Amino acid sequence: MTEFKQIIKDLKNKIFHPLYLLHGEEPYYIDLVSDEIEKNLLSEGEKSFNQTIVYGKDADFRNMLDTLRRYPMMSNYQVVILKEAQVFKDFEKLESYFEHPLKSTVFVICYKYKSLDKRKKIYKLLSAKGAVLETKKMYENQVPGFIDSVAKELNLKMSAGVVDMLAEYLGNDLSKIMNELEKLSLNVEKGVAVTTAHIEKYIGISKEYNVFEYIKALALRDAKKVFKIAKYFEKNPKANEPVMVMGMLYLFFSKAFVLQSTKKSPYDLMSELQIRKPAADDLNAVKRNYSPTETVKIMHLLQEYDLKIKGVDFSGQDKTVLLTEMSYRILN
């Protein structure tokens, strides 16, 4: 990400901007830049008088303006960080300050989970007067490359199979990926290749009993394996959060229905569906083993059991049986 690298490079070289707009769907890079400024722009002695952190839900417009317009004490800069700016109801009222920002104030705006409208004057002012970083969610087929790159930085030796296993299980949550890779770097000896045994021990992903193997078994209509994994999930709910499992199942079968509505193969639609080859193989199996009508039925079942797992329309005492029950209804 060019903007991210340039901003970090400038910060390391003591090149500061009066305004930083950090916005977009992916919070990981926003947090990295914000943390770099918070921890390193001022010395520890300067921070007590010259560093202010405000959260959007608690921010007051007048107090914010007063803070931004004050001058630093015994320092060249003061730092003001507005976190969760997307929920600050008076954010656009700061436009007057953005027109004439103080050079001695470094104002960091963390606007998460969505992008600021580029058509608005406020965005144009921020772009003209400061540094802008826009972050986007990483596509699933880009995740293995990210994991491989970070693993090399952490001196972790990983085979393509291990990288794929992590990518499939962790998805495109970059903060979660970084946490798990750092956990591995602390526990696996330098120079030792990371194995599936390490993954299972330190991250909790079972090579045999995970949501991707469950999806594959359903796609292949392999009843024996489906029930074996469902029973494992029921005994280990913390390792395989039921709500997460349901969400991934629904996403998978939604993509399967899209595929069944076209004559194209899943391999032709990998980019459009934002999937990698293992998922394309599973979608191809669904196309062979289920009719579009059956896929629609499965999606309705998933919605029904998702509500039951969340406690809606379920009067039974034991929720652990729900996944096995649902698996049976999907296959029959």
Side-chain angles (χ1 to χ4, degrees):
M1 185 178 286
T2 308
E3 300 100 323
F4 168 74
K5 290 180 179 177
Q6 187 60 54
I7 288 173
I8 294 296
K9 181 181 178 182
D10 285 348
L11 289 171
K12 300 288 187 188
N13 291 327
K14 307 296 182 185
I15 299 171
F16 308 132
H17 298 273
L19 301 170
Y20 288 86
L21 171 62
L22 315 174
H23 69 137
E25 298 172 340
E26 176 51 67
Y28 173 69
Y29 291 105
I30 293 173
D31 288 339
L32 280 186
V33 174
S34 175
D35 288 349
E36 175 66 26
I37 293 172
E38 181 181 339
K39 292 173 182 176
N40 299 318
L41 196 147
L42 299 177
S43 69
E44 289 303 317
E46 292 172 323
K47 285 179 185 178
S48 56
F49 292 107
N50 299 294
Q51 186 154 288
T52 306
I53 298 173
V54 183
Y55 286 84
K57 64 182 177 64
D58 303 318
D60 175 80
F61 169 63
R62 291 294 173 193
N63 288 341
M64 178 67 71
L65 272 186
D66 289 344
T67 300
L68 291 169
R69 286 173 173 160
R70 73 187 181 197
Y71 288 93
M73 293 180 63
M74 296 176 287
S75 173
N76 292 324
Y77 298 98
Q78 71 151 339
V79 173
V80 180
I81 301 175
L82 175 59
K83 297 191 175 186
E84 309 296 343
Q86 74 279 1
V87 299
F88 178 32
K89 62 182 184 301
D90 292 327
F91 178 66
E92 294 197 16
K93 289 184 180 180
L94 293 173
E95 191 176 287
S96 60
Y97 177 79
F98 298 150
E99 288 177 337
H100 305 287
L102 289 186
K103 291 183 179 180
S104 58
T105 295
V106 175
F107 184 26
V108 184
I109 301 157
C110 303
Y111 196 96
K112 289 183 174 179
Y113 311 116
K114 59 182 179 179
S115 294
L116 194 60
D117 190 338
K118 296 181 179 65
R119 297 168 297 180
K120 291 187 174 182
K121 181 181 177 183
I122 196 168
Y123 174 83
K124 292 173 182 175
L125 283 170
L126 286 163
S127 185
K129 305 275 186 172
V132 175
L133 170 67
E134 182 176 13
T135 67
K136 295 182 179 179
K137 275 290 184 185
M138 187 172 285
Y139 292 147
E140 286 182 16
N141 55 5
Q142 296 174 314
V143 173
F146 177 80
I147 292 175
D148 189 54
S149 173
V150 174
K152 287 174 180 172
E153 289 177 13
L154 295 173
N155 294 315
L156 287 168
K157 293 173 66 176
M158 285 189 182
S159 68
V162 168
V163 168
D164 280 345
M165 183 181 181
L166 285 171
E168 286 185 6
Y169 189 82
L170 299 175
N172 62 350
D173 184 332
L174 301 190
S175 296
K176 185 176 181 181
I177 290 170
M178 286 300 303
N179 287 338
E180 300 299 355
L181 290 178
E182 285 169 1
K183 196 185 297 181
L184 285 173
S185 72
L186 292 172
N187 288 287
V188 179
E189 287 185 40
K190 294 290 182 282
V192 174
V194 177
T195 65
T196 53
H198 291 128
I199 300 298
E200 186 164 359
K201 182 177 181 180
Y202 299 116
I203 298 179
I205 308 170
S206 168
K207 184 179 180 182
E208 187 176 358
Y209 300 103
N210 62 67
V211 66
F212 300 99
E213 290 299 314
Y214 179 58
I215 287 172
K216 180 180 288 187
L218 284 171
L220 294 170
R221 297 194 90 136
D222 183 344
K224 183 178 179 181
K225 190 170 183 180
V226 166
F227 292 121
K228 190 176 179 182
I229 296 173
K231 289 291 185 186
Y232 178 86
F233 284 178
E234 288 169 356
K235 291 178 182 177
N236 300 274
K238 290 183 179 179
N240 301 276
E241 289 288 342
V243 174
M244 180 272 290
V245 172
M246 298 302 291
M248 295 186 72
L249 281 171
Y250 193 84
L251 180 62
F252 174 77
F253 279 102
S254 298
K255 290 180 178 180
F257 183 70
V258 170
L259 182 63
Q260 288 173 325
S261 305
T262 177
K263 292 181 180 179
K264 293 182 179 180
S265 79
Y267 308 104
D268 296 326
L269 297 174
M270 284 173 65
S271 177
E272 186 178 331
L273 295 174
Q274 297 175 23
I275 58 172
R276 297 178 300 112
K277 189 177 180 300
D281 292 339
D282 295 340
L283 288 170
N284 211 29
V286 172
K287 197 168 185 178
R288 290 195 312 268
N289 296 318
Y290 296 85
S291 69
T293 302
E294 288 176 311
T295 302
V296 171
K297 171 200 156 191
I298 290 169
M299 291 167 69
H300 286 307
L301 282 172
L302 291 170
Q303 290 175 322
E304 176 187 337
Y305 279 88
D306 181 57
L307 289 172
K308 286 183 177 181
I309 284 169
K310 292 172 180 173
V312 180
D313 297 328
F314 179 67
S315 56
Q317 297 298 313
D318 188 5
K319 290 183 183 178
T320 63
V321 302
L322 288 174
L323 202 58
T324 297
E325 180 183 293
M326 183 192 73
S327 300
Y328 177 82
R329 290 181 66 186
I330 287 174
L331 294 172
N332 294 279

